[in-house]
Amino acid sequence: MTWIISAIAIGITAFIVPGSQVGLVGALIAAIVIGFVNAILRPVLLLLTLPVNIATLGLFTFIINGLLILLASAVVPGFEVTGFLNAILFSIVLTLVNIVLLKIFKDK
């Protein structure tokens, strides 16, 4: 169920954020890839960049999230985010939309 909610969140976010496009199949595949990237690569990158992250009071995490969105965009056909700033905005909006959708569907 979480996979479907994530795919819906990706579709909503692509509609909101300029410079991003996704189709139905692309959203489903992107949900899997972003979940995998967040589970495997993100913790490693956060650990490797810990000193920079501490120095920037955690703001460097936005940079890492944007890079991971760009990585997913490069790997998944049918999912496109153009530009680094759009990728950072995409990751922020995706997080917020995902929180709202999980709250709505997990309460039922």
Side-chain angles (χ1 to χ4, degrees):
M1 182 72 177
T2 307
W3 172 58
I4 301 296
I5 293 172
S6 294
I8 293 169
I10 290 169
I12 292 170
T13 305
F15 181 74
I16 294 171
V17 175
S20 59
Q21 296 177 350
V22 69
L24 177 63
V25 175
L28 293 170
I29 297 171
I32 294 171
V33 171
I34 290 173
F36 178 77
V37 164
N38 280 337
I40 304 298
L41 289 178
R42 188 171 186 264
V44 173
L45 289 174
L46 287 175
L47 185 63
L48 291 174
T49 61
L50 188 60
V52 175
N53 218 345
I54 291 171
T56 61
L57 302 175
L59 293 177
F60 194 72
T61 304
F62 291 119
I63 304 297
I64 292 172
N65 289 342
L67 290 172
L68 294 177
I69 291 294
L70 285 176
L71 174 66
S73 173
V75 171
V76 176
F79 174 58
E80 181 180 352
V81 179
T82 57
F84 183 64
L85 292 178
N86 287 338
I88 292 173
L89 181 61
F90 191 94
S91 70
I92 293 169
V93 173
L94 179 61
T95 301
L96 296 174
V97 170
N98 220 352
I99 288 170
V100 169
L101 289 177
L102 285 173
K103 184 71 173 164
I104 289 171
F105 288 111
K106 291 294 181 175
D107 284 345
K108 293 184 178 187

